[in-house]
Amino acid sequence: MSTPNNEPQDLENGVEAPRQQRSSIPSFLFITFVLFMLTNGRGDEVTMTRDQYLDGLQSLNYQLSNYSAWLNGTATNFSLPVEDPNMMPLVNAFMTFGGELDPKEGSYYSNMTGFWHGDLQPHNLTSLNASEAASSWRHLAEQFILPTNVTAIPELLGPWNWTRSNKLSLSVGDKLIPFERDGLDNKNIAVIHGKIDLSDPESSEALRLDFEGIHVLSTGTVYAFAESVGHFMDMRELPALVPERFRNESARAVEMELSTRISKLKEKIEAGTYDQDTSDDDDSPKTKCSFRFFAQLPPSNVPKELMDELEKEIDEPTGITTVKAPELALDGVLLSQNCGILYEIKNAIGIQSERLYRKIITYSGFATLVNLALLALFRRQAAESSSAVGLSRVSRYTFLIQSLIDAISFIGHITLGILAEGRPSLSVLAPAGLACLLFIYEAQMAVLIGQIQAPEDAPTPQPAPAPAPPAPSPPPPPATSGDPAPVGASASVPTQPMPPPPPPPPPTPTVPERPTFLQFLWNHFRTDPAARLWTLLSLTLMIVFRIVIALSLPLFFIGSLYSCMWLMQIYRSARRARSSGLSLEYLIGTTLGRLFFACYFLGCPKNILDVEPRRWIYAVALFMFVHVSVIFLQEHVDPAFFLPKRMSRAQTYDYHPPLPLPDPEAPEQTLGDCAICMDAILVDPSLRRRSKSSDGKERPVIGRAGGILGKVGGARKTYSLAPCHHLFHTACLERWLAIKNICPQCRRPLPPL
């Protein structure tokens, strides 16, 4: 019977098979995942953000009008606060403020925009230790904290452990405010702002502070306020921190900065472009401590003219030769009077934003080449292992782990592009896109391997019990000798026919209970391996995405993924007593490509993310190469060469057991018909042998070691008997197992041939 071309057929049984619909559960989960990442619960924030912008604009206008009136000496509600006179002497005990230099002999960096990191030394001013009590600044600390309410300090400090904070990170934006004074251009004051992150070595969280300050270019000094994220800072009070000789210039710079911010805010409101404020959603530790931040750049021996040329080349590269750039560093103090805390900042090293962006572009180029190489290696290996036999030899978890690594790489590169902005963000999209392709291909490979290997773990169906034989009818009672048989009756008395039993009543049709959506979902998740795998992948990606965005990804998780990548393949090869089939080119190339990212971020001290090096990453790299060596030896020596002899031999099925030969008088010497091609399985006369049975008669047997078969042990046997007792040609079964690893007759799983 002919069938349309678009109707699938079951070629093994000769009947049409129903069309198998593609499962929609994985697609549903991934669409949900994408929508979850895109929406993220921000439906009503546009209206709220506009209202916040309007309120902020009104507040800035009010501040500027009062501040301008104060500068001009007219009536105003603003007055400049007076700082504690003990503050500056205490700060001088921990750092030295710079002075003005001769422009021909030395200079300071004038642009601090960039990223910094350094060490912290905490001091609890309310409870000095023995060495601090003997220091020269003890009496200054005692005088400084006299106004402090000690009983309120625990509430102000919050949950953060201040004594364990030993690292500091700075994100700085430095903006020069030029203005005219006495007919001359004044370019000595810059407004500085950014974020300060205090890190705890025993915690993945960080305490974040916002700061606003004044940068005096001629002395290389920073004076700033610092508050917890979301707390208000009145930048009009900044001139109170600055020395008297720079106070008027600082006040004018603050006024101009307020005017500039009002203009930008008006443009955003008119254009309808609002920056989403995430300060309310930030679940990082908070504090009510108010800080004063002081920093000092070290002087360099580069003349001012050459320093200006160097900084211009850094901001706008033209390729000209400049002086060697001096190290960008600073020392500082972070001081809180209401909490009695002082942090000493030691040798914080910085890198300018433009240099960092060029570094990101260079990294993106290398990362793109590495991901291209990984993609090419994967595609070549996938082509080599595309058959059912090849897929049954590799471990699905090896590719699943690699897909998770690429998912983390994709999310990390996207996050880096968002943080970098501008041109570097575009360059980071290339390795991010390739990592996404690798994740998709490797996840599909893991799903395909799982479908091929699923029958291995499926329980063998038990044969249905045979129906019980019907009970025999009772025999008729025998005739007694005392009772004469009636005339004409036969010797056996016929029995009366038993009336047939009444037919059983028809079963009452029962309507199957319709499962709920949750029951259907659970049953689908339990029975469909692909849905189960995609569900787990989706949940893992959601968790990983949230962890990476929070910048608190446990590095132990990364190390575990790298350590287990090849370990799962070693386990499968040893368990199944079969080599992996992975090429040496794929093993070495993939290992080197994966280690490029791990060793760069966890081994290089000057990586673009400023991650502190971890020495254990080199042990992980050595561990991976040991695994590659084991897989290579499994391929060329024995899959279980490293196991004891009692454990090294896996229980493998023998497809060629001894079989009795047919009757030699039979016209056809065959073992039966092949269950695949339906042709007869002929017996090779050279493999026949006669053996005696227990009754002394000869019985033809095939397959025993002896005779010709014993001498030619490696002779190819033409028959194969499956565990389900279906008989095949060996060649037919080999071709079938290259497509599927189930019996073509009963659909039971078959071991490797």
Side-chain angles (χ1 to χ4, degrees):
M1 180 180 65
S2 62
T3 59
N5 294 333
N6 57 354
E7 293 294 334
Q9 296 183 4
D10 188 349
L11 300 180
E12 294 81 24
N13 296 326
V15 298
E16 296 182 0
R19 180 182 298 275
Q20 183 179 3
Q21 296 182 354
R22 184 181 298 273
S23 174
S24 61
I25 297 297
S27 303
F28 168 75
L29 290 172
F30 262 82
I31 292 174
T32 305
F33 168 70
V34 172
L35 293 178
F36 172 77
M37 294 304 173
L38 292 178
T39 58
N40 198 19
R42 298 187 180 272
D44 301 329
E45 289 192 358
V46 175
T47 304
M48 295 175 59
T49 304
R50 177 178 174 81
D51 295 339
Q52 292 174 358
Y53 271 47
L54 291 174
D55 293 341
L57 179 60
Q58 183 179 1
S59 176
L60 285 177
N61 282 321
Y62 177 78
Q63 294 177 28
L64 179 59
S65 61
N66 281 277
Y67 191 62
S68 299
W70 174 76
L71 287 176
N72 297 328
T74 59
T76 179
N77 294 330
F78 175 78
S79 61
L80 194 66
V82 178
E83 293 292 332
D84 192 306
N86 297 298
M87 180 176 63
M88 297 309 295
L90 180 61
V91 173
N92 271 314
F94 293 93
M95 60 174 286
T96 302
F97 289 97
E100 298 186 19
L101 304 176
D102 184 355
K104 296 181 179 180
E105 296 181 359
S107 61
Y108 300 97
Y109 274 105
S110 62
N111 190 354
M112 295 179 59
T113 301
F115 303 90
W116 306 67
H117 64 278
D119 298 327
L120 288 177
Q121 178 64 43
H123 299 280
N124 187 357
L125 302 181
T126 61
S127 178
L128 302 178
N129 57 35
S131 61
E132 293 171 343
S135 63
S136 59
W137 49 268
R138 177 182 61 83
H139 68 285
L140 296 173
E142 293 173 351
Q143 294 295 322
F144 180 69
I145 64 172
L146 282 179
T148 304
N149 184 0
V150 180
T151 59
I153 289 179
E155 181 182 355
L156 297 175
L157 290 176
W160 183 253
N161 192 329
W162 299 89
T163 58
R164 287 207 307 254
S165 301
N166 61 355
K167 296 291 183 182
L168 169 122
S169 298
L170 290 172
S171 176
V172 179
D174 198 343
K175 178 184 177 183
L176 179 65
I177 307 294
F179 58 91
E180 290 187 4
R181 183 181 180 185
D182 299 332
L184 300 176
D185 291 338
N186 190 310
K187 296 183 179 180
N188 189 39
I189 302 297
V191 173
I192 192 171
H193 62 90
K195 298 184 182 297
I196 302 174
D197 289 330
L198 308 180
S199 59
D200 181 357
E202 299 183 8
S203 173
S204 59
E205 294 183 332
L207 178 70
R208 172 160 292 185
L209 305 173
D210 290 334
F211 73 91
E212 295 271 4
I214 295 294
H215 177 201
V216 181
L217 275 59
S218 60
T219 62
T221 312
V222 173
Y223 308 88
F225 295 141
E227 295 282 351
S228 184
V229 175
H231 288 200
F232 173 72
M233 285 182 293
D234 192 350
M235 67 179 306
R236 298 176 300 173
E237 300 177 356
L238 285 174
L241 298 177
V242 181
E244 185 69 29
R245 66 183 187 274
F246 303 118
R247 188 161 296 172
N248 291 334
E249 299 175 4
S250 301
R252 292 298 178 185
V254 169
E255 182 185 25
M256 296 185 65
E257 176 64 15
L258 284 174
S259 300
T260 303
R261 293 185 181 184
I262 290 174
S263 300
K264 290 183 177 179
L265 197 56
K266 287 181 178 179
E267 293 176 358
K268 288 187 176 181
I269 293 175
E270 293 174 357
T273 57
Y274 308 115
D275 297 330
Q276 297 290 348
D277 184 10
T278 59
S279 59
D280 295 336
D281 300 333
D282 187 8
D283 56 354
S284 60
K286 299 292 190 302
T287 181
K288 296 180 181 179
C289 299
S290 297
F291 288 90
R292 302 294 184 264
F293 175 48
F294 304 92
Q296 179 62 52
L297 297 174
S300 68
N301 56 2
V302 179
K304 184 68 169 64
E305 183 180 356
L306 295 179
M307 178 63 77
D308 292 341
E309 183 182 23
L310 171 64
E311 291 190 300
K312 184 178 180 181
E313 179 65 20
I314 292 175
D315 292 338
E316 300 176 359
T318 60
I320 65 172
T321 302
T322 60
V323 295
K324 182 179 180 181
E327 185 180 43
L328 185 60
L330 64 80
D331 294 327
V333 169
L334 192 61
L335 178 63
S336 174
Q337 186 177 34
N338 63 341
C339 291
I341 298 174
L342 185 147
Y343 280 108
E344 184 180 0
I345 303 172
K346 300 179 179 179
N347 194 30
I349 306 300
I351 179 173
Q352 290 94 340
S353 297
E354 291 299 325
R355 282 189 173 183
L356 177 62
Y357 293 159
R358 287 199 292 271
K359 197 173 181 180
I360 292 175
I361 293 174
T362 303
Y363 159 78
S364 300
F366 283 104
T368 301
L369 294 177
V370 171
N371 278 339
L372 280 174
L374 289 174
L375 185 60
L377 290 171
F378 170 79
R379 299 293 290 175
R380 184 176 300 179
Q381 182 61 49
E384 294 178 1
S385 303
S386 59
S387 64
V389 174
L391 294 175
S392 65
R393 298 168 68 181
V394 295
S395 171
R396 78 190 80 171
Y397 299 105
T398 294
F399 293 95
L400 183 61
I401 290 174
Q402 291 190 69
S403 68
L404 289 178
I405 293 175
D406 288 315
I408 295 173
S409 174
F410 167 70
I411 297 173
H413 283 95
I414 290 296
T415 305
L416 178 61
I418 295 173
L419 297 177
E421 299 180 349
R423 292 174 300 171
S425 63
L426 297 178
S427 64
V428 174
L429 291 180
L434 290 174
C436 184
L437 281 178
L438 279 168
F439 160 70
I440 295 173
Y441 286 146
E442 288 160 349
Q444 289 178 344
M445 185 74 168
V447 171
L448 183 59
I449 295 173
Q451 293 174 348
I452 294 297
Q453 298 178 1
E456 296 178 0
D457 302 324
T460 303
Q462 300 295 330
S473 58
T480 59
S481 58
D483 297 334
V487 179
S490 60
S492 62
V493 180
T495 61
Q496 296 293 330
M498 298 295 293
T508 305
T510 58
V511 179
E513 183 181 357
R514 186 175 183 179
T516 64
F517 176 75
L518 293 179
Q519 291 175 341
F520 164 76
L521 195 63
W522 168 250
N523 184 64
H524 191 83
F525 176 80
R526 186 172 54 86
T527 57
D528 189 353
R532 186 162 57 248
L533 182 60
W534 284 109
T535 304
L536 295 176
L537 273 177
S538 303
L539 294 176
T540 304
L541 282 181
M542 290 181 185
I543 297 172
V544 168
F545 183 84
R546 287 299 179 184
I547 291 176
V548 172
I549 290 299
L551 298 180
S552 59
L553 181 66
L555 297 180
F556 177 77
F557 177 67
I558 298 291
S560 300
L561 289 179
Y562 274 79
S563 301
C564 297
M565 190 172 73
W566 300 126
L567 189 62
M568 306 308 296
Q569 181 60 59
I570 295 174
Y571 170 75
R572 177 170 181 82
S573 297
R575 180 188 176 191
R576 297 291 176 178
R578 302 187 73 194
S579 59
S580 65
L582 300 177
S583 65
L584 186 62
E585 176 190 44
Y586 175 75
L587 292 171
I588 296 179
T590 302
T591 302
L592 291 176
R594 300 295 179 192
L595 288 176
F596 166 77
F597 297 99
C599 291
Y600 175 73
F601 287 108
L602 299 180
C604 178
K606 295 184 178 180
N607 58 81
I608 57 177
L609 295 182
D610 196 24
V611 179
E612 188 175 352
R614 267 70 170 182
R615 292 187 177 181
W616 53 260
I617 192 60
Y618 299 109
V620 172
L622 180 62
F623 200 52
M624 292 184 67
F625 278 108
V626 170
H627 288 171
V628 171
S629 302
V630 171
I631 296 177
F632 178 77
L633 293 176
Q634 284 181 318
E635 185 78 23
H636 294 83
V637 179
D638 186 77
F641 72 93
F642 53 89
L643 295 177
K645 290 185 177 180
R646 66 177 183 274
M647 301 172 57
S648 60
R649 289 293 95 190
Q651 297 295 330
T652 58
Y653 177 75
D654 182 16
Y655 274 94
H656 312 292
L659 295 178
L661 285 174
D663 187 356
E665 304 297 332
E668 294 185 0
Q669 294 294 306
T670 65
L671 298 176
D673 294 337
C674 174
I676 296 177
C677 67
M678 300 303 175
D679 289 341
I681 303 177
L682 301 178
V683 178
D684 188 354
S686 63
L687 298 180
R688 300 179 189 177
R689 179 179 177 271
R690 293 188 175 273
S691 62
K692 292 185 178 181
S693 61
S694 58
D695 56 359
K697 296 181 179 180
E698 288 187 350
R699 184 181 52 152
V701 176
I702 181 173
R704 294 188 180 276
I708 299 177
L709 185 59
K711 296 178 182 178
V712 190
R716 179 183 176 88
K717 301 178 178 63
T718 58
Y719 70 93
S720 292
L721 183 66
C724 51
H725 301 290
H726 290 119
L727 198 61
F728 311 93
H729 286 116
T730 299
C732 294
L733 185 60
E734 285 179 347
R735 289 192 296 268
W736 173 261
L737 289 179
I739 304 173
K740 295 182 180 179
N741 58 346
I742 58 175
C743 177
Q745 288 280 25
C746 62
R747 304 299 186 186
R748 296 184 184 181
L750 295 179
L753 181 61

